[in-house]
Amino acid sequence: MSESSKLMQKPTHHNCDTCDVRHKAMCAAVDAEHTDQLRAIVSHRDYAPGQVIFEEGDPADYAFNISAGEVRLCKLLPDGRRQVTGFLTPGDFLGLIADSAYAYGAEAIGQVELCCIQLSNLERLLSDIPPVREKLLSMSRDELAAAQEQMLLLGRKTAREKIVSFLLYRHKHLGRTEGDASIDLPMSRVDIADYLGLTIETVSRTFTALREEGLIELPHPHHVIFPNLDAVRDAAEAG
Amino acid sequence: MSESSKLMQKPTHHNCDTCDVRHKAMCAAVDAEHTDQLRAIVSHRDYAPGQVIFEEGDPADYAFNISAGEVRLCKLLPDGRRQVTGFLTPGDFLGLIADSAYAYGAEAIGQVELCCIQLSNLERLLSDIPPVREKLLSMSRDELAAAQEQMLLLGRKTAREKIVSFLLYRHKHLGRTEGDASIDLPMSRVDIADYLGLTIETVSRTFTALREEGLIELPHPHHVIFPNLDAVRDAAEAG
DNA sequence: AGCCTCGATTGAGCCACGTCAATAATTTCC
DNA sequence: GGAAATTATTGACGTGGCTCAATCGAGGCT
């Protein structure tokens, strides 16, 4: 919505050699021999907070890797109801297509840097470098498993369980350092609500309830501290 | 639960040459030249209604193609709550793994015939025959798109919209013949409820409401007729 | 046919979460 | 730093779908 076109910071990931998600991303499967081929076909783009990367149904020409920042994937109903189907973080692959159109919309949450590759070039890369297609297949397997897990959450968990599962997932997969029992939540309450199939009010109330029970601390709406991680884990799947 | 080990009908799909889902399944991408290789590594199994094919977390050694019948995929919470993450029909691929274990459980709904292939053999097939891996990649893309659509349904649709969307999906993808405005629902109300994130009572009440409005006819709990398909489509995404 | 079992339907009441509305906190922008 | 805009929290109340419980109906078995 708000264009917020402030001066962008100097991008630091616009080079395969210095890219610090290289080990996580699809590119990890590109061996030294093919690095030049990769460098030749990727380009880079920056996105401001809230900016639309592509919309559901747009003709798909590019696929992306997240270099920096976080992206939300959205699906909409005609009347405006929204489901956030995932949050992507650096190293994640972006660009699922169905019938040569994007199957969901994608929007930058904060500042985002993407590594872009034309689909025709990606296909060539896939046939040229077997490890790359293996990596991509394994990534889409993981994505599918995560989607199934999210269906379980959406269909069968209570609001409290949804929030706790979400927080634990973030901690497990995005925890900054080992032993740091805290996480950042760069997305808004609306995003969290639309991801968990709740309203912002229920999200907010649940955060407050967890804080009052001592399960979490909320020094800031976008930062959560776990004083006792095991207690949180117990709350995840038990009434 | 009930073993129902009655005499099985003579299987009719235990042969690649006479297999009538050949054109839909992964095998469609196997050219004439490799058909012998395929035949050599597939085996077949029959399952009785309700029989477990594998459970979530089982060590994964085989992948499957559905030759006949319908399969439900299930995920469970520790306290028994269940989410059905999908219904698979003839031609569908079965055997998503995460960390060499099945990511969900699979159970036969009615009589089911599966075409089985060891994962090690499947991998060889994938590297030997490029069209097969392409087909598999495109199938998992479709599966992922369907999962996203299901998240939208689970997170944001009303009970009524869920049922109508479900019925229309079945009609679109499994309609028997062109112009036949009716569908079969081989699964129980419990399965439907666990698929849509509802209870059996709500499923039943919603069917009754749709019948009373004239949107559907229910000559039998497992058969639905649409007197006016367009009216049903209107109901899918509008209050 | 008659009994039994299991699945589906229907009813009555309740509650978790949604809605609507006001306030508080945080960020943005000058 | 301060005003305005945006986002988050809190409160009061309503409701869609869940729970608990009874009834109905379709097969299967003898």
Side-chain angles (χ1 to χ4, degrees):
Chain A
M1 310 289 173
S2 68
E3 281 314 301
S4 173
S5 51
K6 68 189 298 192
L7 189 65
M8 286 178 187
Q9 295 167 269
K10 183 157 172 269
T12 54
H13 302 85
H14 286 188
N15 183 316
C16 292
D17 300 312
T18 61
C19 175
D20 54 357
V21 298
R22 187 73 204 277
H23 65 290
K24 281 184 64 183
M26 191 196 70
C27 323
V30 178
D31 52 37
E33 186 188 348
H34 288 90
T35 307
D36 285 340
Q37 182 185 349
L38 178 66
R39 221 192 317 260
I41 57 177
V42 300
S43 57
H44 295 85
R45 287 188 214 158
D46 290 320
Y47 293 85
Q51 201 178 344
V52 171
I53 298 166
F54 53 77
E55 305 208 50
E56 181 177 353
D58 279 359
D61 39 3
Y62 278 87
F64 308 88
N65 279 307
I66 319 261
S67 308
E70 200 151 338
V71 169
R72 62 172 171 260
L73 308 182
C74 310
K75 284 185 78 80
L76 291 171
L77 287 173
D79 65 0
R81 280 174 290 174
R82 187 181 76 150
Q83 180 67 35
V84 171
T85 61
F87 294 114
L88 300 189
T89 54
D92 283 340
F93 180 78
L94 171 61
L96 174 73
I97 56 157
D99 291 324
S100 62
Y102 294 114
Y104 45 65
E107 296 162 18
I109 290 176
Q111 274 291 322
V112 165
E113 296 170 26
L114 297 185
C115 178
C116 320
I117 180 168
Q118 225 164 354
L119 283 175
S120 54
N121 287 327
L122 177 62
E123 274 163 34
R124 185 137 26 89
L125 211 65
L126 288 177
S127 44
D128 287 359
I129 316 174
V132 172
R133 63 165 182 264
E134 202 151 313
K135 176 78 179 172
L136 202 72
L137 202 67
S138 114
M139 285 175 84
S140 66
R141 256 207 320 258
D142 292 347
E143 207 175 332
L144 205 40
Q148 311 247 352
E149 197 63 41
Q150 189 68 2
M151 287 189 227
L152 176 63
L153 178 148
L154 288 170
R156 286 298 178 225
K157 291 189 183 178
T158 65
R160 182 192 161 93
E161 291 166 336
K162 285 176 176 181
I163 295 281
V164 171
S165 299
F166 171 62
L167 296 178
L168 285 177
Y169 180 88
R170 302 274 308 178
H171 179 259
K172 182 171 182 186
H173 293 272
L174 310 168
R176 280 94 60 91
T177 58
E178 194 57 44
D180 179 7
S182 83
I183 54 170
D184 288 321
L185 301 176
M187 70 291 291
S188 69
R189 293 294 189 261
V190 180
D191 288 342
I192 296 174
D194 285 349
Y195 180 58
L196 300 176
L198 299 170
T199 59
I200 49 172
E201 293 92 335
T202 298
V203 170
S204 191
R205 277 189 258 269
T206 306
F207 272 119
T208 302
L210 293 173
R211 178 168 48 72
E212 285 173 351
E213 291 170 45
L215 278 179
I216 62 171
E217 291 167 28
L218 274 173
H220 178 90
H222 294 282
H223 191 72
V224 177
I225 300 172
F226 305 104
N228 180 352
L229 212 38
D230 287 329
V232 182
R233 293 200 183 98
D234 289 345
E237 285 178 341
Chain B
M1 309 293 174
S2 68
E3 281 315 300
S4 173
S5 50
K6 69 189 298 190
L7 187 66
M8 287 176 188
Q9 294 168 269
K10 182 157 172 267
T12 54
H13 303 84
H14 286 186
N15 184 315
C16 293
D17 301 311
T18 61
C19 176
D20 53 356
V21 298
R22 187 74 204 277
H23 63 290
K24 282 185 61 182
M26 190 195 70
C27 324
V30 178
D31 52 37
E33 184 188 348
H34 289 90
T35 307
D36 286 339
Q37 181 184 350
L38 177 65
R39 222 192 317 262
I41 58 177
V42 300
S43 57
H44 296 86
R45 288 188 213 158
D46 290 320
Y47 293 85
Q51 202 177 341
V52 171
I53 299 166
F54 54 77
E55 305 209 51
E56 180 178 353
D58 278 0
D61 39 3
Y62 277 87
F64 308 88
N65 279 306
I66 320 260
S67 308
E70 200 151 339
V71 170
R72 62 172 170 261
L73 307 183
C74 310
K75 284 185 78 79
L76 292 171
L77 287 174
D79 65 1
R81 280 175 290 173
R82 186 180 77 150
Q83 180 67 34
V84 171
T85 60
F87 294 114
L88 299 190
T89 53
D92 283 340
F93 180 77
L94 172 60
L96 174 72
I97 56 157
D99 291 325
S100 62
Y102 294 113
Y104 45 65
E107 296 162 19
I109 290 176
Q111 276 290 323
V112 164
E113 296 170 27
L114 297 185
C115 178
C116 319
I117 180 167
Q118 226 164 352
L119 284 175
S120 53
N121 287 327
L122 177 61
E123 276 164 33
R124 184 137 27 89
L125 211 64
L126 288 176
S127 44
D128 286 0
I129 315 174
V132 172
R133 64 166 182 263
E134 201 151 314
K135 176 80 177 168
L136 202 72
L137 201 67
S138 114
M139 284 175 84
S140 65
R141 254 208 320 257
D142 292 347
E143 209 174 330
L144 205 41
Q148 309 248 353
E149 196 64 41
Q150 189 68 1
M151 288 190 228
L152 176 62
L153 179 148
L154 289 169
R156 287 297 177 227
K157 292 189 183 178
T158 65
R160 183 191 160 92
E161 290 166 337
K162 285 176 176 181
I163 296 281
V164 171
S165 300
F166 171 63
L167 295 179
L168 284 178
Y169 180 89
R170 303 272 309 176
H171 179 259
K172 182 170 182 185
H173 293 272
L174 310 168
R176 280 95 58 90
T177 57
E178 194 58 42
D180 180 6
S182 82
I183 53 170
D184 287 322
L185 301 176
M187 71 292 291
S188 69
R189 294 292 190 259
V190 180
D191 288 342
I192 297 174
D194 285 349
Y195 180 59
L196 300 176
L198 299 170
T199 59
I200 49 171
E201 292 93 334
T202 298
V203 170
S204 190
R205 275 188 258 268
T206 306
F207 271 119
T208 303
L210 293 173
R211 178 170 47 73
E212 285 173 350
E213 290 170 45
L215 277 179
I216 61 171
E217 290 167 29
L218 275 173
H220 179 88
H222 294 282
H223 191 72
V224 177
I225 300 172
F226 305 104
N228 180 353
L229 211 39
D230 286 329
V232 182
R233 294 200 182 99
D234 288 344
E237 288 178 338

